[in-house]
């Protein structure tokens, strides 16, 4: 059975403090710590591209698991900040990691919902093509596209990448996935010259969509809150994580909040949390749920089996 | 639509803001009374859900105070 064998992350050490922006944006410590929940943003080194970030995550994976690149049959990169429009970033990563010519490589262009979509994609693709080892990357560098004068986004986003090793000796296996899109609202979170986000629209969408989506997925699988060990939500902001938790009516201790030291890392936010849980948490079912640019959302139930 | 000040204050309380509900002034902007932009988004969402209305972004300037919210909703057909 294919599933998640391991997860590694790359979060740049260079951090930008929101406390230094208090005067500029007329905000206080309470707003930083209890509302957006981001104290520091991780900022990549100047010139570092999406593929470089993937390579950094892979180097960290090599410290956790001895991977022979020759065995990798599939390489997917989830990003909306590709190195170039042409070619796909997965091809560049393929080259930099010296993966074999028989390895399939392609990108998935999704934002916050990208990891859950990516997980379903890579497992289905590998299963249908008889593959045994694959790499799912997430990588976004919003520091390249942010308007530093825009309070809605400048306080929120951080750079990061992750890599998930998919194989036949998994720790987490997927049980079910569910997806959704509201393309009519695509302009509410968009990068034209710089990133624009209608904070109110994105908040309303998330607060109304995510809890219902999670509940429907649990119901479909005959599960209730008692069956779920944790809910790993996309770390949009503390306020949105808290709002979804309240609307779900679940114990807040089941819903980790983890972005304070690095920011909203888009499609990397869920694998960053999973990477911490994979080696420490007991066996059990967890819910993944992510929502954002598109507008797009995706939820999954996965189970830790060892 | 017939909306009371009390109903709107209950929604603000439900939004769990830092505003002091005992001293909240109806004719003063909520953002001047410890209600921040995230709270406002939540309050407007709760109003939309409770009264089954859609409040466009361009109307937000009319909904800055309790009085403004009551007046706006009361004028909706």
């Amino acid at each position: 059975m294919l599933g998640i064998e391991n997860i590694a992350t790359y979060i740049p050490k260079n951090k930008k403090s929101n406390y230094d922006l208090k005067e500029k944006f007329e905000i206080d410590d309470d707003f930083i710590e209890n509302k957006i929940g981001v104290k520091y943003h991780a900022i990549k080194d100047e010139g570092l591209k999406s593929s470089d970030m993937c390579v950094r995550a892979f180097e960290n994976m090599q410290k956790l698991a001895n991977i022979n690149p020759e065995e990798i049959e599939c390489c997917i990169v989830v990003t909306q900040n590709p190195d170039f429009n042409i070619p796909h970033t997965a091809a560049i990563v393929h080259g930099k990691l010296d993966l074999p010519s028989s390895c399939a490589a392609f990108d998935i262009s999704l934002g916050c919902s990208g990891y859950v979509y990516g997980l379903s994609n890579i497992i289905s693709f590998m299963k249908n093509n008889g593959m045994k080892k694959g790499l799912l990357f997430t990588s976004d560098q919003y520091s390249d596209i942010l308007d530093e004068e825009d309070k809605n986004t400048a306080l929120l986003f951080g750079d990061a990448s992750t890599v998930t090793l998919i194989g036949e000796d998994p720790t987490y296996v997927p049980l079910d996935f569910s997806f959704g899109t509201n393309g009519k609202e695509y302009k509410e979170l968009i990068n034209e010259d710089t990133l624009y986000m209608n904070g109110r629209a994105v908040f309303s969408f998330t607060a109304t969509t995510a809890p219902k989506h999670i509940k429907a997925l649990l119901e479909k699988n005959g599960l209730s809150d008692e069956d779920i060990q944790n809910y790993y939500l996309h770390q949009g902001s503390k306020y949105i994580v808290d709002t979804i938790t309240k609307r779900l009516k679940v114990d807040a201790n089941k819903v980790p909040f983890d972005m304070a030291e690095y920011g909203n890392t888009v499609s990397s936010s869920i694998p960053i949390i999973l990477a911490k849980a994979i080696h420490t948490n007991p066996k059990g079912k967890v819910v993944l749920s992510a929502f954002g640019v598109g507008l797009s959302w995706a939820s999954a139930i996965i189970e830790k089996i060892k | 639509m017939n909306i009371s000040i009390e109903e709107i204050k209950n929604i603000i309380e439900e939004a769990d803001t830092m505003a002091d509900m005992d001293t909240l002034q109806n004719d003063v902007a909520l953002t001047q009374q410890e209600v921040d932009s995230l709270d406002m988004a939540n309050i407007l969402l709760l109003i939309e859900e409770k009264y089954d209305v859609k409040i466009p972004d361009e109307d937000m300037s009319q909904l800055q105070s309790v009085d403004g919210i009551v007046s706006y909703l009361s004028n909706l057909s």
Side-chain angles (χ1 to χ4, degrees):
Chain A
M1 185 192 307
L2 289 168
I4 297 171
E5 289 191 358
N6 222 324
I7 304 172
T9 66
Y10 171 66
I11 301 173
K13 285 185 180 152
N14 181 31
K15 302 281 173 72
K16 187 172 178 182
S17 171
N18 271 346
Y19 295 102
D20 295 338
L21 301 172
K22 281 163 59 174
E23 199 173 318
K24 179 177 179 179
F25 290 123
E26 298 178 328
I27 53 173
D28 56 20
D29 289 356
D30 180 65
F31 189 79
I32 291 172
E33 292 161 15
N34 298 315
K35 289 299 179 63
I36 56 171
V38 179
K39 299 176 185 173
Y40 306 96
H41 319 247
I43 306 287
K44 69 173 178 65
D45 292 342
E46 186 75 30
L48 210 65
K49 299 276 197 180
S50 189
S51 65
D52 301 315
M53 301 270 289
C54 292
V55 171
R56 299 275 173 99
F58 184 79
E59 287 166 355
N60 288 336
M61 174 65 85
Q62 288 288 46
K63 295 171 192 165
L64 301 174
N66 189 21
I67 299 172
N68 177 4
E70 282 297 317
E71 292 177 359
I72 301 300
E73 296 167 292
C74 180
C75 167
I76 297 178
V77 176
V78 177
T79 185
Q80 290 191 322
N81 291 276
D83 292 19
F84 307 99
N85 287 331
I86 300 173
H88 45 299
T89 301
I92 302 170
V93 173
H94 175 279
K96 287 181 175 175
L97 297 182
D98 205 15
L99 300 179
S101 59
S102 56
C103 173
F106 58 95
D107 287 1
I108 294 176
S109 174
L110 278 167
C112 309
S113 64
Y115 183 72
V116 182
Y117 267 92
L119 202 54
S120 177
N121 264 272
I122 193 166
I123 290 172
S124 305
F125 183 84
M126 287 174 63
K127 189 177 169 187
N128 284 342
N129 293 290
M131 297 171 174
K132 294 177 178 175
K133 286 267 184 221
L135 298 172
L136 172 65
F137 291 93
T138 60
S139 181
D140 273 295
Q141 306 76 238
Y142 272 40
S143 61
D144 281 343
I145 58 171
L146 275 179
D147 174 1
E148 297 205 353
E149 303 304 314
D150 177 18
K151 181 182 173 184
N152 276 347
T153 53
L155 293 165
L156 210 51
F157 291 97
D159 301 335
S161 60
T162 71
V163 58
T164 299
L165 176 64
I166 304 295
E168 291 183 308
D169 183 23
T171 300
Y172 282 106
V173 293
L175 300 183
D176 198 10
F177 290 90
S178 183
F179 308 97
T181 310
N182 178 3
K184 288 188 172 65
E185 305 287 330
Y186 77 93
K187 286 185 179 170
E188 305 299 8
L189 185 44
I190 190 167
N191 177 34
E192 292 183 285
D193 295 328
T194 55
L195 189 69
Y196 164 80
M197 180 173 76
N198 180 338
R200 182 188 161 217
V202 173
F203 169 79
S204 295
F205 145 68
T206 305
T208 51
T209 305
K212 284 182 200 160
H213 196 242
I214 293 168
K215 281 180 187 169
L217 182 62
L218 290 179
E219 270 179 38
K220 180 186 161 201
N221 285 275
L223 298 171
S224 64
D225 177 46
E226 294 90 70
D227 302 308
I228 301 301
Q229 194 178 75
N230 287 109
Y231 298 83
Y232 297 142
L233 306 181
H234 166 58
Q235 307 283 291
S237 70
K238 186 167 192 308
Y239 198 73
I240 197 63
V241 170
D242 289 348
T243 299
I244 294 170
T245 304
K246 276 183 203 164
R247 287 178 169 238
L248 272 175
K249 297 185 173 68
V250 299
D251 180 354
N253 291 321
K254 284 185 166 187
V255 191
F257 177 74
D258 196 69
M259 66 192 284
E261 303 296 321
Y262 52 82
N264 176 341
T265 56
V266 196
S267 58
S268 292
S269 73
I270 287 177
I272 287 173
I273 295 179
L274 264 182
K276 293 177 181 177
I278 196 167
H279 301 296
T280 55
N281 280 18
K283 292 179 190 176
K285 296 180 182 71
V286 299
V287 166
L288 315 179
S289 189
F291 31 81
V293 57
L295 300 171
S296 168
W297 59 98
S299 300
I301 302 167
I302 62 173
E303 182 166 14
K304 192 165 191 278
I305 57 170
K306 67 177 181 182
Chain B
M1 198 180 290
N2 195 15
I3 310 290
S4 71
I5 283 176
E6 209 52 43
E7 285 174 66
I8 300 305
K9 285 190 168 178
N10 287 341
I11 288 174
I12 295 168
E13 194 159 16
E14 187 184 342
D16 203 16
T17 72
M18 296 288 282
D20 182 346
M21 298 310 295
D22 295 329
T23 61
L24 194 75
Q25 298 178 69
N26 299 337
D27 58 347
V28 174
L30 292 168
T31 50
Q32 291 174 30
Q33 301 183 85
E34 302 290 327
V35 173
D36 60 40
S37 55
L38 289 168
D39 294 326
M40 277 305 293
N42 197 11
I43 289 166
L44 294 178
L45 173 62
L46 291 169
I47 289 170
E48 287 181 330
E49 289 180 324
K50 183 174 170 75
Y51 300 109
D52 195 22
V53 295
K54 181 74 188 157
I55 301 168
D57 285 346
E58 51 269 28
D59 289 354
M60 279 180 64
S61 60
Q62 300 174 51
L63 294 111
Q64 294 302 302
S65 65
V66 173
D67 283 346
I69 293 169
V70 170
S71 170
Y72 178 87
L73 293 174
S74 299
N75 287 329
L76 291 179
S77 54

